[in-house]
Amino acid sequence: MTILVIAEHDNAVLKPATRNAIAAAARIGGDIDVLVAGAACAAVAEAAARIAGVTRVRLADAAQYADHGAENLAALVVANAAAYSHILAPATAAGKNFLPRVAALLDVAQISDIVEVVSPDTFVRPIYAGNALATVQSADAVKVITVRGTAFEPAGEGAAAPIEALAGAADAGISRLVGRELTVSARPELTAARVIVSGGRALGSNENFHAVLEPLADKLGAAVGASRAAVDAGYAPNDYQVGQTGKIVAPELYIAVGISGAIQHLAGMKESKVIVAINKDPEAPIFQVADYGLVADLFDAVPALLAAID
Amino acid sequence: MKILVPVKRVIDYNVKVRVKSDGSGVDLANVKMSMNPFDEVAIEEAVRLKEAGIASEVVAVSAGVAACQETLRTAMALGADRSILIVTDEELQPLAVAKLLKAVCDKEAPQMVIPGKQAIDDDANQTGQMLAALLGWPQATFASKVVVNADKTGAAVTREIDGGLETIEISLPAVVTTDLRLNEPRYATLPNIMKAKKKPLETTTPEALGVDVKPRLKTLKVAEPAKRAGGVKVADVAALVDKLKNEAKVI
Ligand SMILES: Cc1cc2nc3c(=O)[nH]c(=O)nc-3n(C[C@H](O)[C@H](O)[C@H](O)COP(=O)(O)OP(=O)(O)OC[C@H]3O[C@@H](n4cnc5c(N)ncnc54)[C@H](O)[C@@H]3O)c2cc1C
């Protein structure tokens, strides 16, 4: 049995979510090939080769993979799928984008967002915004799976595996990247952060959102997150959103500031180890999941918290 | 240009979901059902493209039990011109729905299909991508902005990705899946609800479309996730800092 894990990267750096997917592959058991598809991405292949549990890295280095468009990437995976029992990708925006295309072309189901490997054909996945956990069994010849990163400890470093070049498939030519507007931040990435300070609608404006939350985040070495309401209102960029339709996070400490705790928000953060809620409404649902709740006006409490942490 | 919008009937997003005690699934008896929120955004986008003179017709499609016609009536009250219901009592998984939609696309030849990016019941996030694959069309998922070219041979779509936003140019026909920030859906007005009752609703079946919808995944059980033990309320910031330092040891 050989498992293919598709690496996520930006041609320069391997994204940490790849390590969680490799960890899930190791739970399934068998040899693990990692596919690195991109352009001028040899450094990524080398990084992938050093991950514990990886048997071989297959490197498709060609211009048509530079932007990781779903059409070309899916065609490449499908052309090489015959050798594999399982095909895994992280359940990130990128993985969610191309992997269902692979599954459909192989005429198999995709098992989205697994949080547990029960056996090589049986997996647990959340449904209904995480309010239920379904155990599903696949009868398909190839299991196509996206992996929820927070559910699997990232695979560490190991002995270097061989890297083999893989010929690219033809460019489909039906999609073209025009440009990206990426949020630049010196803070840790939301899905990999040890601490997250997250703000809601109560921050009231873009200025407040940054002025109130960022000093606290900086002091704690934290990433900044947001509720959907805060993102919709333009207080924070879309990639800050935590929840059912945003990012799934599980830091050691999650501080929810002026967030009510709608089920769609809880879906993205309730696996955090310690949850702190600061909200002026003592009945806010966020207090039902918070380990430590502080009923207070955030505009007083956050600066006071900042001052009290040395 | 014709736009097809698939819509799914799901549990209303405000309903607290309860897992059945026998572990067979989620209790849907006497629960409020609504249109999947992402599909409302999809209908809205298609209707706006029609209002802008870019689209000529908006066709809503749903697959599932007979009650899905309520969802289609809602779609038509929001501005869809007509609808197609693929009736079946079989459990429908994303691959099967994608195949059904492909069969409809083969007949209807739309220039654009706009599904929601995910359904809030199974949270699968697959159907649009699978449909694009089966049709051999480009896909633009998680869209927050759609601009159709003047000659309607392509579109520029801004997508929400993990690091921010990206804009891609795709040729048409294509599949575009919606994120919530694409637009703010309108409410159906009473006159439009009345008008929707007279709009055409055609019914077909998976058999008539020649599609095998047998599920590929077997659900062995559905369980409730472990509940978080309720925490405590702290009196003030000093008490909070003390707990975080000395009890939780996280700062
Ligand atoms: C299909 C769908 C998907 C969704 N996906 C997501 C998702 O991924 N992530 C997400 O977050 N939401 C999501 N939502 C939205 C979700 O339902 C809520 O609307 C949203 O989470 C509310 O954000 P909020 O808590 O910031 O705002 P509100 O619910 O308005 O809460 C604001 C809170 O701030 C408190 N407050 C006000 N002033 C102060 C003050 N001065 N000091 C302290 N506290 C104060 C209030 O008491 C209140 O509890 C989704 C909704 C739908 C329908």
mmCIF file with all atom_site columns, all heavy atoms in Angstrom, chain A residues 97 107 112 135 176 180 232 247 270 272 292-293, chain B residues 99 126 141 162 166 169 181 216 220 228 247:
data_model
loop_
_atom_site.group_PDB
_atom_site.id
_atom_site.type_symbol
_atom_site.label_atom_id
_atom_site.label_alt_id
_atom_site.label_comp_id
_atom_site.label_asym_id
_atom_site.label_entity_id
_atom_site.label_seq_id
_atom_site.pdbx_PDB_ins_code
_atom_site.Cartn_x
_atom_site.Cartn_y
_atom_site.Cartn_z
_atom_site.occupancy
_atom_site.B_iso_or_equiv
_atom_site.pdbx_formal_charge
_atom_site.auth_seq_id
_atom_site.auth_comp_id
_atom_site.auth_asym_id
_atom_site.auth_atom_id
_atom_site.pdbx_PDB_model_num
ATOM 1   N N   . ASN A 1 97  ? -9.549  23.156 -2.800  1.00 0.00 ? 97  ASN A N   1
ATOM 2   C CA  . ASN A 1 97  ? -9.781  23.611 -4.163  1.00 0.00 ? 97  ASN A CA  1
ATOM 3   C C   . ASN A 1 97  ? -9.523  22.510 -5.182  1.00 0.00 ? 97  ASN A C   1
ATOM 4   O O   . ASN A 1 97  ? -10.366 22.231 -6.026  1.00 0.00 ? 97  ASN A O   1
ATOM 5   C CB  . ASN A 1 97  ? -8.876  24.820 -4.438  1.00 0.00 ? 97  ASN A CB  1
ATOM 6   C CG  . ASN A 1 97  ? -9.104  25.432 -5.795  1.00 0.00 ? 97  ASN A CG  1
ATOM 7   O OD1 . ASN A 1 97  ? -10.250 25.566 -6.234  1.00 0.00 ? 97  ASN A OD1 1
ATOM 8   N ND2 . ASN A 1 97  ? -8.036  25.796 -6.470  1.00 0.00 ? 97  ASN A ND2 1
ATOM 9   N N   . ASP A 1 107 ? -13.463 9.099  -10.407 1.00 0.00 ? 107 ASP A N   1
ATOM 10  C CA  . ASP A 1 107 ? -14.787 8.534  -10.123 1.00 0.00 ? 107 ASP A CA  1
ATOM 11  C C   . ASP A 1 107 ? -14.857 7.897  -8.733  1.00 0.00 ? 107 ASP A C   1
ATOM 12  O O   . ASP A 1 107 ? -15.368 6.797  -8.551  1.00 0.00 ? 107 ASP A O   1
ATOM 13  C CB  . ASP A 1 107 ? -15.200 7.516  -11.199 1.00 0.00 ? 107 ASP A CB  1
ATOM 14  C CG  . ASP A 1 107 ? -16.685 7.155  -11.096 1.00 0.00 ? 107 ASP A CG  1
ATOM 15  O OD1 . ASP A 1 107 ? -17.448 7.981  -10.565 1.00 0.00 ? 107 ASP A OD1 1
ATOM 16  O OD2 . ASP A 1 107 ? -17.064 6.039  -11.522 1.00 0.00 ? 107 ASP A OD2 1
ATOM 17  N N   . SER A 1 112 ? -13.810 14.451 3.190   1.00 0.00 ? 112 SER A N   1
ATOM 18  C CA  . SER A 1 112 ? -13.306 15.784 3.523   1.00 0.00 ? 112 SER A CA  1
ATOM 19  C C   . SER A 1 112 ? -12.971 15.907 4.989   1.00 0.00 ? 112 SER A C   1
ATOM 20  O O   . SER A 1 112 ? -13.727 15.464 5.851   1.00 0.00 ? 112 SER A O   1
ATOM 21  C CB  . SER A 1 112 ? -14.370 16.842 3.189   1.00 0.00 ? 112 SER A CB  1
ATOM 22  O OG  . SER A 1 112 ? -14.592 16.914 1.805   1.00 0.00 ? 112 SER A OG  1
ATOM 23  N N   . THR A 1 135 ? -18.555 8.726  11.353  1.00 0.00 ? 135 THR A N   1
ATOM 24  C CA  . THR A 1 135 ? -17.561 7.709  11.015  1.00 0.00 ? 135 THR A CA  1
ATOM 25  C C   . THR A 1 135 ? -17.989 7.120  9.677   1.00 0.00 ? 135 THR A C   1
ATOM 26  O O   . THR A 1 135 ? -19.083 6.568  9.566   1.00 0.00 ? 135 THR A O   1
ATOM 27  C CB  . THR A 1 135 ? -17.521 6.609  12.088  1.00 0.00 ? 135 THR A CB  1
ATOM 28  O OG1 . THR A 1 135 ? -17.265 7.227  13.355  1.00 0.00 ? 135 THR A OG1 1
ATOM 29  C CG2 . THR A 1 135 ? -16.423 5.597  11.788  1.00 0.00 ? 135 THR A CG2 1
ATOM 30  N N   . ARG A 1 176 ? -5.855  31.289 -15.469 1.00 0.00 ? 176 ARG A N   1
ATOM 31  C CA  . ARG A 1 176 ? -4.588  32.005 -15.386 1.00 0.00 ? 176 ARG A CA  1
ATOM 32  C C   . ARG A 1 176 ? -4.622  32.892 -14.149 1.00 0.00 ? 176 ARG A C   1
ATOM 33  O O   . ARG A 1 176 ? -5.627  33.555 -13.878 1.00 0.00 ? 176 ARG A O   1
ATOM 34  C CB  . ARG A 1 176 ? -4.463  32.877 -16.642 1.00 0.00 ? 176 ARG A CB  1
ATOM 35  C CG  . ARG A 1 176 ? -3.161  33.621 -16.798 1.00 0.00 ? 176 ARG A CG  1
ATOM 36  C CD  . ARG A 1 176 ? -3.183  34.392 -18.125 1.00 0.00 ? 176 ARG A CD  1
ATOM 37  N NE  . ARG A 1 176 ? -4.036  35.581 -18.056 1.00 0.00 ? 176 ARG A NE  1
ATOM 38  C CZ  . ARG A 1 176 ? -3.646  36.749 -17.551 1.00 0.00 ? 176 ARG A CZ  1
ATOM 39  N NH1 . ARG A 1 176 ? -2.436  36.894 -17.052 1.00 0.00 ? 176 ARG A NH1 1
ATOM 40  N NH2 . ARG A 1 176 ? -4.469  37.785 -17.520 1.00 0.00 ? 176 ARG A NH2 1
ATOM 41  N N   . ARG A 1 180 ? -2.095  38.197 -6.697  1.00 0.00 ? 180 ARG A N   1
ATOM 42  C CA  . ARG A 1 180 ? -2.480  37.859 -5.316  1.00 0.00 ? 180 ARG A CA  1
ATOM 43  C C   . ARG A 1 180 ? -2.298  39.067 -4.432  1.00 0.00 ? 180 ARG A C   1
ATOM 44  O O   . ARG A 1 180 ? -1.362  39.840 -4.610  1.00 0.00 ? 180 ARG A O   1
ATOM 45  C CB  . ARG A 1 180 ? -1.615  36.718 -4.775  1.00 0.00 ? 180 ARG A CB  1
ATOM 46  C CG  . ARG A 1 180 ? -1.854  35.402 -5.473  1.00 0.00 ? 180 ARG A CG  1
ATOM 47  C CD  . ARG A 1 180 ? -1.373  34.208 -4.659  1.00 0.00 ? 180 ARG A CD  1
ATOM 48  N NE  . ARG A 1 180 ? -1.789  32.979 -5.324  1.00 0.00 ? 180 ARG A NE  1
ATOM 49  C CZ  . ARG A 1 180 ? -0.960  32.054 -5.804  1.00 0.00 ? 180 ARG A CZ  1
ATOM 50  N NH1 . ARG A 1 180 ? 0.342   32.187 -5.653  1.00 0.00 ? 180 ARG A NH1 1
ATOM 51  N NH2 . ARG A 1 180 ? -1.432  30.982 -6.402  1.00 0.00 ? 180 ARG A NH2 1
ATOM 52  N N   . ASP A 1 232 ? -16.550 40.694 7.766   1.00 0.00 ? 232 ASP A N   1
ATOM 53  C CA  . ASP A 1 232 ? -17.569 41.266 6.873   1.00 0.00 ? 232 ASP A CA  1
ATOM 54  C C   . ASP A 1 232 ? -17.627 42.781 7.002   1.00 0.00 ? 232 ASP A C   1
ATOM 55  O O   . ASP A 1 232 ? -17.850 43.495 6.032   1.00 0.00 ? 232 ASP A O   1
ATOM 56  C CB  . ASP A 1 232 ? -18.962 40.685 7.190   1.00 0.00 ? 232 ASP A CB  1
ATOM 57  C CG  . ASP A 1 232 ? -19.135 39.270 6.660   1.00 0.00 ? 232 ASP A CG  1
ATOM 58  O OD1 . ASP A 1 232 ? -18.174 38.728 6.089   1.00 0.00 ? 232 ASP A OD1 1
ATOM 59  O OD2 . ASP A 1 232 ? -20.233 38.700 6.829   1.00 0.00 ? 232 ASP A OD2 1
ATOM 60  N N   . LYS A 1 247 ? -10.868 29.528 9.068   1.00 0.00 ? 247 LYS A N   1
ATOM 61  C CA  . LYS A 1 247 ? -9.804  28.612 9.458   1.00 0.00 ? 247 LYS A CA  1
ATOM 62  C C   . LYS A 1 247 ? -10.174 27.827 10.713  1.00 0.00 ? 247 LYS A C   1
ATOM 63  O O   . LYS A 1 247 ? -10.904 28.313 11.568  1.00 0.00 ? 247 LYS A O   1
ATOM 64  C CB  . LYS A 1 247 ? -8.519  29.394 9.690   1.00 0.00 ? 247 LYS A CB  1
ATOM 65  C CG  . LYS A 1 247 ? -7.976  29.855 8.350   1.00 0.00 ? 247 LYS A CG  1
ATOM 66  C CD  . LYS A 1 247 ? -6.632  30.482 8.443   1.00 0.00 ? 247 LYS A CD  1
ATOM 67  C CE  . LYS A 1 247 ? -6.197  30.801 7.022   1.00 0.00 ? 247 LYS A CE  1
ATOM 68  N NZ  . LYS A 1 247 ? -5.564  32.092 6.898   1.00 0.00 ? 247 LYS A NZ  1
ATOM 69  N N   . LYS A 1 270 ? -13.113 25.525 18.975  1.00 0.00 ? 270 LYS A N   1
ATOM 70  C CA  . LYS A 1 270 ? -13.443 24.894 20.251  1.00 0.00 ? 270 LYS A CA  1
ATOM 71  C C   . LYS A 1 270 ? -12.503 23.764 20.637  1.00 0.00 ? 270 LYS A C   1
ATOM 72  O O   . LYS A 1 270 ? -12.590 23.235 21.744  1.00 0.00 ? 270 LYS A O   1
ATOM 73  C CB  . LYS A 1 270 ? -14.910 24.445 20.279  1.00 0.00 ? 270 LYS A CB  1
ATOM 74  C CG  . LYS A 1 270 ? -15.254 23.357 19.341  1.00 0.00 ? 270 LYS A CG  1
ATOM 75  C CD  . LYS A 1 270 ? -16.715 22.955 19.483  1.00 0.00 ? 270 LYS A CD  1
ATOM 76  C CE  . LYS A 1 270 ? -16.956 21.848 18.497  1.00 0.00 ? 270 LYS A CE  1
ATOM 77  N NZ  . LYS A 1 270 ? -18.288 21.529 18.224  1.00 0.00 ? 270 LYS A NZ  1
ATOM 78  N N   . SER A 1 272 ? -9.368  24.385 20.932  1.00 0.00 ? 272 SER A N   1
ATOM 79  C CA  . SER A 1 272 ? -8.238  25.073 21.568  1.00 0.00 ? 272 SER A CA  1
ATOM 80  C C   . SER A 1 272 ? -8.057  24.531 22.985  1.00 0.00 ? 272 SER A C   1
ATOM 81  O O   . SER A 1 272 ? -9.026  24.150 23.635  1.00 0.00 ? 272 SER A O   1
ATOM 82  C CB  . SER A 1 272 ? -8.513  26.578 21.640  1.00 0.00 ? 272 SER A CB  1
ATOM 83  O OG  . SER A 1 272 ? -8.787  27.083 20.356  1.00 0.00 ? 272 SER A OG  1
ATOM 84  N N   . TYR A 1 292 ? -11.955 30.348 30.984  1.00 0.00 ? 292 TYR A N   1
ATOM 85  C CA  . TYR A 1 292 ? -11.949 31.535 31.837  1.00 0.00 ? 292 TYR A CA  1
ATOM 86  C C   . TYR A 1 292 ? -12.750 32.631 31.153  1.00 0.00 ? 292 TYR A C   1
ATOM 87  O O   . TYR A 1 292 ? -12.391 33.064 30.053  1.00 0.00 ? 292 TYR A O   1
ATOM 88  C CB  . TYR A 1 292 ? -10.514 32.012 32.092  1.00 0.00 ? 292 TYR A CB  1
ATOM 89  C CG  . TYR A 1 292 ? -9.637  30.919 32.670  1.00 0.00 ? 292 TYR A CG  1
ATOM 90  C CD1 . TYR A 1 292 ? -8.557  30.418 31.959  1.00 0.00 ? 292 TYR A CD1 1
ATOM 91  C CD2 . TYR A 1 292 ? -9.912  30.385 33.936  1.00 0.00 ? 292 TYR A CD2 1
ATOM 92  C CE1 . TYR A 1 292 ? -7.765  29.407 32.484  1.00 0.00 ? 292 TYR A CE1 1
ATOM 93  C CE2 . TYR A 1 292 ? -9.127  29.372 34.467  1.00 0.00 ? 292 TYR A CE2 1
ATOM 94  C CZ  . TYR A 1 292 ? -8.053  28.887 33.736  1.00 0.00 ? 292 TYR A CZ  1
ATOM 95  O OH  . TYR A 1 292 ? -7.285  27.884 34.263  1.00 0.00 ? 292 TYR A OH  1
ATOM 96  N N   . GLY A 1 293 ? -13.812 33.050 31.789  1.00 0.00 ? 293 GLY A N   1
ATOM 97  C CA  . GLY A 1 293 ? -14.652 34.096 31.219  1.00 0.00 ? 293 GLY A CA  1
ATOM 98  C C   . GLY A 1 293 ? -14.514 35.369 32.030  1.00 0.00 ? 293 GLY A C   1
ATOM 99  O O   . GLY A 1 293 ? -14.513 35.343 33.261  1.00 0.00 ? 293 GLY A O   1
ATOM 100 N N   . LYS B 2 99  ? -22.635 14.512 -10.699 1.00 0.00 ? 99  LYS B N   1
ATOM 101 C CA  . LYS B 2 99  ? -23.018 13.780 -11.916 1.00 0.00 ? 99  LYS B CA  1
ATOM 102 C C   . LYS B 2 99  ? -24.410 14.195 -12.393 1.00 0.00 ? 99  LYS B C   1
ATOM 103 O O   . LYS B 2 99  ? -24.657 14.328 -13.597 1.00 0.00 ? 99  LYS B O   1
ATOM 104 C CB  . LYS B 2 99  ? -22.972 12.273 -11.662 1.00 0.00 ? 99  LYS B CB  1
ATOM 105 C CG  . LYS B 2 99  ? -21.553 11.735 -11.539 1.00 0.00 ? 99  LYS B CG  1
ATOM 106 C CD  . LYS B 2 99  ? -21.547 10.227 -11.298 1.00 0.00 ? 99  LYS B CD  1
ATOM 107 C CE  . LYS B 2 99  ? -20.114 9.722  -11.220 1.00 0.00 ? 99  LYS B CE  1
ATOM 108 N NZ  . LYS B 2 99  ? -20.057 8.273  -10.975 1.00 0.00 ? 99  LYS B NZ  1
ATOM 109 N N   . GLN B 2 126 ? -17.215 20.099 -2.011  1.00 0.00 ? 126 GLN B N   1
ATOM 110 C CA  . GLN B 2 126 ? -16.733 19.275 -3.124  1.00 0.00 ? 126 GLN B CA  1
ATOM 111 C C   . GLN B 2 126 ? -17.500 19.456 -4.422  1.00 0.00 ? 126 GLN B C   1
ATOM 112 O O   . GLN B 2 126 ? -16.912 19.346 -5.508  1.00 0.00 ? 126 GLN B O   1
ATOM 113 C CB  . GLN B 2 126 ? -16.848 17.778 -2.771  1.00 0.00 ? 126 GLN B CB  1
ATOM 114 C CG  . GLN B 2 126 ? -16.087 17.334 -1.562  1.00 0.00 ? 126 GLN B CG  1
ATOM 115 C CD  . GLN B 2 126 ? -16.395 15.888 -1.197  1.00 0.00 ? 126 GLN B CD  1
ATOM 116 O OE1 . GLN B 2 126 ? -17.088 15.179 -1.915  1.00 0.00 ? 126 GLN B OE1 1
ATOM 117 N NE2 . GLN B 2 126 ? -15.873 15.447 -0.080  1.00 0.00 ? 126 GLN B NE2 1
ATOM 118 N N   . THR B 2 141 ? -13.146 28.714 -7.228  1.00 0.00 ? 141 THR B N   1
ATOM 119 C CA  . THR B 2 141 ? -13.833 28.433 -5.968  1.00 0.00 ? 141 THR B CA  1
ATOM 120 C C   . THR B 2 141 ? -13.678 29.594 -4.994  1.00 0.00 ? 141 THR B C   1
ATOM 121 O O   . THR B 2 141 ? -12.765 30.403 -5.118  1.00 0.00 ? 141 THR B O   1
ATOM 122 C CB  . THR B 2 141 ? -13.240 27.172 -5.318  1.00 0.00 ? 141 THR B CB  1
ATOM 123 O OG1 . THR B 2 141 ? -11.831 27.329 -5.214  1.00 0.00 ? 141 THR B OG1 1
ATOM 124 C CG2 . THR B 2 141 ? -13.543 25.930 -6.136  1.00 0.00 ? 141 THR B CG2 1
ATOM 125 N N   . ASP B 2 162 ? -5.981  31.101 1.734   1.00 0.00 ? 162 ASP B N   1
ATOM 126 C CA  . ASP B 2 162 ? -5.507  31.132 3.124   1.00 0.00 ? 162 ASP B CA  1
ATOM 127 C C   . ASP B 2 162 ? -4.665  32.358 3.458   1.00 0.00 ? 162 ASP B C   1
ATOM 128 O O   . ASP B 2 162 ? -4.694  32.830 4.573   1.00 0.00 ? 162 ASP B O   1
ATOM 129 C CB  . ASP B 2 162 ? -4.733  29.852 3.442   1.00 0.00 ? 162 ASP B CB  1
ATOM 130 C CG  . ASP B 2 162 ? -5.669  28.689 3.702   1.00 0.00 ? 162 ASP B CG  1
ATOM 131 O OD1 . ASP B 2 162 ? -6.855  28.958 3.964   1.00 0.00 ? 162 ASP B OD1 1
ATOM 132 O OD2 . ASP B 2 162 ? -5.230  27.535 3.629   1.00 0.00 ? 162 ASP B OD2 1
ATOM 133 N N   . GLU B 2 166 ? -6.800  36.045 -4.145  1.00 0.00 ? 166 GLU B N   1
ATOM 134 C CA  . GLU B 2 166 ? -6.144  35.920 -5.440  1.00 0.00 ? 166 GLU B CA  1
ATOM 135 C C   . GLU B 2 166 ? -7.177  36.122 -6.532  1.00 0.00 ? 166 GLU B C   1
ATOM 136 O O   . GLU B 2 166 ? -8.347  35.807 -6.361  1.00 0.00 ? 166 GLU B O   1
ATOM 137 C CB  . GLU B 2 166 ? -5.395  34.575 -5.580  1.00 0.00 ? 166 GLU B CB  1
ATOM 138 C CG  . GLU B 2 166 ? -6.178  33.463 -6.177  1.00 0.00 ? 166 GLU B CG  1
ATOM 139 C CD  . GLU B 2 166 ? -5.371  32.184 -6.432  1.00 0.00 ? 166 GLU B CD  1
ATOM 140 O OE1 . GLU B 2 166 ? -4.221  32.043 -6.006  1.00 0.00 ? 166 GLU B OE1 1
ATOM 141 O OE2 . GLU B 2 166 ? -5.944  31.289 -7.080  1.00 0.00 ? 166 GLU B OE2 1
ATOM 142 N N   . GLU B 2 169 ? -8.165  34.489 -13.996 1.00 0.00 ? 169 GLU B N   1
ATOM 143 C CA  . GLU B 2 169 ? -8.963  34.687 -15.195 1.00 0.00 ? 169 GLU B CA  1
ATOM 144 C C   . GLU B 2 169 ? -9.270  33.312 -15.740 1.00 0.00 ? 169 GLU B C   1
ATOM 145 O O   . GLU B 2 169 ? -8.352  32.512 -15.959 1.00 0.00 ? 169 GLU B O   1
ATOM 146 C CB  . GLU B 2 169 ? -8.151  35.479 -16.215 1.00 0.00 ? 169 GLU B CB  1
ATOM 147 C CG  . GLU B 2 169 ? -8.870  36.723 -16.687 1.00 0.00 ? 169 GLU B CG  1
ATOM 148 C CD  . GLU B 2 169 ? -7.904  37.627 -17.435 1.00 0.00 ? 169 GLU B CD  1
ATOM 149 O OE1 . GLU B 2 169 ? -7.212  37.118 -18.338 1.00 0.00 ? 169 GLU B OE1 1
ATOM 150 O OE2 . GLU B 2 169 ? -7.830  38.809 -17.072 1.00 0.00 ? 169 GLU B OE2 1
ATOM 151 N N   . ARG B 2 181 ? -18.757 36.451 1.325   1.00 0.00 ? 181 ARG B N   1
ATOM 152 C CA  . ARG B 2 181 ? -18.564 37.899 1.102   1.00 0.00 ? 181 ARG B CA  1
ATOM 153 C C   . ARG B 2 181 ? -18.777 38.314 -0.351  1.00 0.00 ? 181 ARG B C   1
ATOM 154 O O   . ARG B 2 181 ? -18.555 39.466 -0.701  1.00 0.00 ? 181 ARG B O   1
ATOM 155 C CB  . ARG B 2 181 ? -17.184 38.310 1.594   1.00 0.00 ? 181 ARG B CB  1
ATOM 156 C CG  . ARG B 2 181 ? -17.189 38.605 3.081   1.00 0.00 ? 181 ARG B CG  1
ATOM 157 C CD  . ARG B 2 181 ? -15.818 38.847 3.639   1.00 0.00 ? 181 ARG B CD  1
ATOM 158 N NE  . ARG B 2 181 ? -15.058 37.632 3.797   1.00 0.00 ? 181 ARG B NE  1
ATOM 159 C CZ  . ARG B 2 181 ? -15.187 36.802 4.836   1.00 0.00 ? 181 ARG B CZ  1
ATOM 160 N NH1 . ARG B 2 181 ? -16.039 37.062 5.802   1.00 0.00 ? 181 ARG B NH1 1
ATOM 161 N NH2 . ARG B 2 181 ? -14.467 35.712 4.915   1.00 0.00 ? 181 ARG B NH2 1
ATOM 162 N N   . ARG B 2 216 ? -21.201 6.244  -2.156  1.00 0.00 ? 216 ARG B N   1
ATOM 163 C CA  . ARG B 2 216 ? -19.897 5.585  -2.148  1.00 0.00 ? 216 ARG B CA  1
ATOM 164 C C   . ARG B 2 216 ? -19.365 5.451  -0.729  1.00 0.00 ? 216 ARG B C   1
ATOM 165 O O   . ARG B 2 216 ? -18.507 4.635  -0.455  1.00 0.00 ? 216 ARG B O   1
ATOM 166 C CB  . ARG B 2 216 ? -18.902 6.400  -2.966  1.00 0.00 ? 216 ARG B CB  1
ATOM 167 C CG  . ARG B 2 216 ? -19.281 6.600  -4.414  1.00 0.00 ? 216 ARG B CG  1
ATOM 168 C CD  . ARG B 2 216 ? -19.310 5.263  -5.140  1.00 0.00 ? 216 ARG B CD  1
ATOM 169 N NE  . ARG B 2 216 ? -19.516 5.494  -6.569  1.00 0.00 ? 216 ARG B NE  1
ATOM 170 C CZ  . ARG B 2 216 ? -18.515 5.748  -7.418  1.00 0.00 ? 216 ARG B CZ  1
ATOM 171 N NH1 . ARG B 2 216 ? -17.274 5.799  -7.000  1.00 0.00 ? 216 ARG B NH1 1
ATOM 172 N NH2 . ARG B 2 216 ? -18.766 5.948  -8.690  1.00 0.00 ? 216 ARG B NH2 1
ATOM 173 N N   . LEU B 2 220 ? -21.076 4.777  9.212   1.00 0.00 ? 220 LEU B N   1
ATOM 174 C CA  . LEU B 2 220 ? -21.184 3.706  10.202  1.00 0.00 ? 220 LEU B CA  1
ATOM 175 C C   . LEU B 2 220 ? -21.843 4.205  11.473  1.00 0.00 ? 220 LEU B C   1
ATOM 176 O O   . LEU B 2 220 ? -22.626 3.512  12.094  1.00 0.00 ? 220 LEU B O   1
ATOM 177 C CB  . LEU B 2 220 ? -19.798 3.137  10.523  1.00 0.00 ? 220 LEU B CB  1
ATOM 178 C CG  . LEU B 2 220 ? -19.006 2.586  9.330   1.00 0.00 ? 220 LEU B CG  1
ATOM 179 C CD1 . LEU B 2 220 ? -17.669 2.024  9.795   1.00 0.00 ? 220 LEU B CD1 1
ATOM 180 C CD2 . LEU B 2 220 ? -19.804 1.515  8.587   1.00 0.00 ? 220 LEU B CD2 1
ATOM 181 N N   . ARG B 2 228 ? -16.948 20.357 25.915  1.00 0.00 ? 228 ARG B N   1
ATOM 182 C CA  . ARG B 2 228 ? -15.957 21.045 26.761  1.00 0.00 ? 228 ARG B CA  1
ATOM 183 C C   . ARG B 2 228 ? -16.554 21.196 28.139  1.00 0.00 ? 228 ARG B C   1
ATOM 184 O O   . ARG B 2 228 ? -17.716 21.573 28.274  1.00 0.00 ? 228 ARG B O   1
ATOM 185 C CB  . ARG B 2 228 ? -15.684 22.440 26.219  1.00 0.00 ? 228 ARG B CB  1
ATOM 186 C CG  . ARG B 2 228 ? -14.654 22.510 25.140  1.00 0.00 ? 228 ARG B CG  1
ATOM 187 C CD  . ARG B 2 228 ? -14.290 23.955 24.861  1.00 0.00 ? 228 ARG B CD  1
ATOM 188 N NE  . ARG B 2 228 ? -13.178 24.401 25.684  1.00 0.00 ? 228 ARG B NE  1
ATOM 189 C CZ  . ARG B 2 228 ? -11.911 24.303 25.330  1.00 0.00 ? 228 ARG B CZ  1
ATOM 190 N NH1 . ARG B 2 228 ? -11.581 23.767 24.181  1.00 0.00 ? 228 ARG B NH1 1
ATOM 191 N NH2 . ARG B 2 228 ? -10.952 24.734 26.124  1.00 0.00 ? 228 ARG B NH2 1
ATOM 192 N N   . GLU B 2 247 ? -2.572  28.458 36.875  1.00 0.00 ? 247 GLU B N   1
ATOM 193 C CA  . GLU B 2 247 ? -3.418  27.272 36.743  1.00 0.00 ? 247 GLU B CA  1
ATOM 194 C C   . GLU B 2 247 ? -3.226  26.646 35.357  1.00 0.00 ? 247 GLU B C   1
ATOM 195 O O   . GLU B 2 247 ? -2.833  25.498 35.228  1.00 0.00 ? 247 GLU B O   1
ATOM 196 C CB  . GLU B 2 247 ? -4.883  27.656 36.972  1.00 0.00 ? 247 GLU B CB  1
ATOM 197 C CG  . GLU B 2 247 ? -5.812  26.459 37.133  1.00 0.00 ? 247 GLU B CG  1
ATOM 198 C CD  . GLU B 2 247 ? -7.218  26.912 37.497  1.00 0.00 ? 247 GLU B CD  1
ATOM 199 O OE1 . GLU B 2 247 ? -7.989  27.213 36.555  1.00 0.00 ? 247 GLU B OE1 1
ATOM 200 O OE2 . GLU B 2 247 ? -7.544  26.970 38.699  1.00 0.00 ? 247 GLU B OE2 1
#
